[in-house]
Amino acid sequence: MRPLLSVQGVSKRYGAHIGCADVSFDLYPGEVMGIVGESGSGKSTLLNCMAGHIAPDAGKVIFDTRADGPKDTVTMSEAQRRMLSRTDWAFVHQHARDGLRMGVSAGGNVGERLMAVGERHYGDIRGKATDWLERVEIDATRVDDRPTTFSGGMQQRLQIARNLVTGPRLVFMDEPTGGLDVSVQARLLDLLRGLVRDMGLSAIIVTHDLAVVRLLADRLMVMKSGRVVEAGLTDQVLDDPQHAYSQLLVSSVLQV
Amino acid sequence: MIQLKDVSKTFTLHNQGSAVIEVINDVSFDVAPGECVALTGASGAGKSTLMRMIYGNYLTQAGTIRIGDVDIVRAEPREIIALRREFLGYVSQFLRVVPRVPTLDVVADPLRALGVPADQAQERARTLLAQLNIPERLWSLSPTTFSGGEQQRVNIARGFAHAYPTMLLDEPTASLDAANREVVLSLIEEAKGRGAAIIGIFHDEAARARVCDREIDVSAFTPGLSSSSEAVGQTQETAA
């Protein structure tokens, strides 16, 4: 089996400060990988380098494209990268308002991504949008309401619908449950798990919440000061951490 | 089916003066298809630790642990994930689930992960839940609110949903009443009957005597814990 995403020696500096340094890993189809570490550990920089939001200073991000097989997304043209981010890639932001158009209706938010890949039939687009709102448990009667009238949890679910409607193969998530209260988090986690399994998605989830990675991620990378200090099977890294920093991270979680 | 060779483990506690604790030293044993082997030894002897190493949950520093064709000690995460999905089942002492997921889906989940259609997976889940005497009115509720014994039975139902060729059972009969204990023991016998290789931890001696073919005293491999001289470096055959 060929990796869906192969990250090779990715580094990014901000002046003298290291964003992330020499990160390499392969992600296979259907795998969900978590990236944990404290604020400033470089996990968001790495995610943005992989998703094409930031150009890394060094390294390759090779994605197995549907049409042409493995291609380095760092060196491909801006137009090609933009096409990828509308079709095979999805990006779920921590704050739903960063990933939604707040002035457009819920149905419009979902339909917009379909139009971006060439769908033109109004009835089809509205039908698919309504279908996706139901899949993320938003009542179909809300299709014409703006996301400004939605709760935080609903906005996050709408962002997920908008991202998944085009059937992406790889989803980048930046703290997808951050800022939501715990009961809403649980519901979102359950939804994400089901979608990942039913659609065979691969995903990379950046979070500082170890409970979230335990439930969602197959594999885990622990970052500190821009470097990966430990990587492995999620439950193994959490239950038998090897690196001093991972041990500190796991033992610092408050028990409830 | 399961083969441990020269297996050792240490814990290094970096944040507590880098203390190195040797927990398992040089264990070797095999489990054949249709065989159930019990891990024994006093509390703290390392039974659960050894079981977690076999599941790949704890990292093993030396030796090989073969489950079918895969060496858990050297396998990539995705190989271990595939092995756990298809080949290696594990009933732990505690149920760990996403909150708010109905019990029926929790039990059907291992089958859904294998690509079994939802209706078939749920049918199997219903059969197991009924067999383990979980009242039907609870099936649509999340098991997070259940009593300890009920959670344990949900965990067992989940563990037996798929016919894994190899299984690890950590205290499967603890906190169960006589009737449910009997159901669990017959599930284990059934699994043995279809050729599953099983490793179990049972504090319940009668249960152990009934389903286990051999015992391995883990304290014999725990540095500084070797209780009795005759146990050192040997596996013991039980009368059963």
Side-chain angles (χ1 to χ4, degrees), chain B residues 184-199:
Chain B
V184 174
L185 291 178
S186 61
L187 281 172
I188 298 171
E189 284 168 340
E190 215 175 277
K192 285 176 68 179
R194 62 168 165 78
I198 301 173
I199 297 177

Side-chain angles (χ1 to χ4, degrees), chain B residues 3 20 24 39-40 45 59 74 94 101 113 119 127 136 196 237-238:
Chain B
Q3 185 183 53
V20 177
I24 300 284
L39 301 181
T40 63
L59 215 61
R74 279 157 202 87
F94 306 100
V101 178
D119 52 337
T127 308
E136 193 167 345
E237 296 281 333
T238 57

Side-chain angles (χ1 to χ4, degrees), chain B residues 52-161:
Chain B
R52 282 162 169 253
M53 289 160 66
I54 299 168
Y55 195 56
N57 176 229
Y58 281 180
L59 215 61
T60 298
Q61 270 76 22
T64 55
I65 300 175
R66 292 204 159 275
I67 316 281
D69 300 327
V70 178
D71 176 7
I72 285 277
V73 180
R74 279 157 202 87
E76 292 288 322
R78 67 195 163 90
E79 295 175 289
I80 298 180
I81 291 161
L83 188 81
R84 288 178 179 180
R85 193 167 46 223
E86 292 148 24
F87 204 83
L88 177 63
Y90 177 43
V91 176
S92 69
Q93 289 189 65
F94 306 100
L95 183 68
R96 188 171 250 153
V97 293
V98 181
R100 97 173 189 127
V101 178
T103 297
L104 196 63
D105 292 339
V106 166
V107 176
D109 190 60
L111 290 170
R112 296 285 289 125
L114 281 163
V116 174
D119 52 337
Q120 277 179 40
Q122 292 200 348
E123 192 48 49
R124 173 76 181 143
R126 276 191 202 95
T127 308
L128 281 162
L129 287 169
Q131 217 176 336
L132 285 156
N133 303 305
I134 302 283
E136 193 167 345
R137 63 190 158 77
L138 298 181
W139 296 358
S140 59
L141 307 176
S142 164
T144 44
T145 54
F146 292 6
S147 74
E150 283 165 346
Q151 289 197 6
Q152 172 71 350
R153 280 178 278 148
V154 171
N155 216 11
I156 289 163
R158 184 180 156 85
F160 281 88

Side-chain angles (χ1 to χ4, degrees), chain A residues 1 28 31 137 183 186-191 193 197-198 214-215 218-219 230 232-233 235-237 239-249 251, chain B residues 9-16 52 55-61 76-81 84 96-102 105 108-109 112-113 158:
Chain A
M1 192 165 40
Y28 286 82
E31 273 188 333
E137 302 168 21
S183 63
R187 189 171 177 192
L188 193 70
L189 283 176
D190 176 28
L191 176 75
R193 250 170 71 100
R197 183 184 61 206
D198 297 342
R214 190 187 281 276
L215 291 172
D218 307 312
R219 292 165 59 189
E230 184 165 352
L233 205 60
D235 60 285
Q236 183 260 299
V237 174
D239 293 338
D240 187 16
Q242 305 294 306
H243 188 275
Y245 177 69
S246 323
Q247 290 185 356
L248 189 66
L249 196 70
S251 65
Chain B
K9 165 148 195 77
T10 53
F11 284 113
T12 307
L13 308 176
H14 291 286
N15 301 303
Q16 293 174 52
R52 282 162 169 253
Y55 195 56
N57 176 229
Y58 281 180
L59 215 61
T60 298
Q61 270 76 22
E76 292 288 322
R78 67 195 163 90
E79 295 175 289
I80 298 180
I81 291 161
R84 288 178 179 180
R96 188 171 250 153
V97 293
V98 181
R100 97 173 189 127
V101 178
D105 292 339
D109 190 60
R112 296 285 289 125
R158 184 180 156 85

Side-chain angles (χ1 to χ4, degrees), chain A residues 93-116:
Chain A
H93 295 264
Q94 175 177 4
H95 302 291
R97 52 182 59 240
D98 295 336
L100 291 173
R101 294 246 312 245
M102 300 306 280
V104 174
S105 71
N109 264 288
V110 180
E112 193 179 46
R113 214 172 124 109
L114 286 170
M115 288 193 280

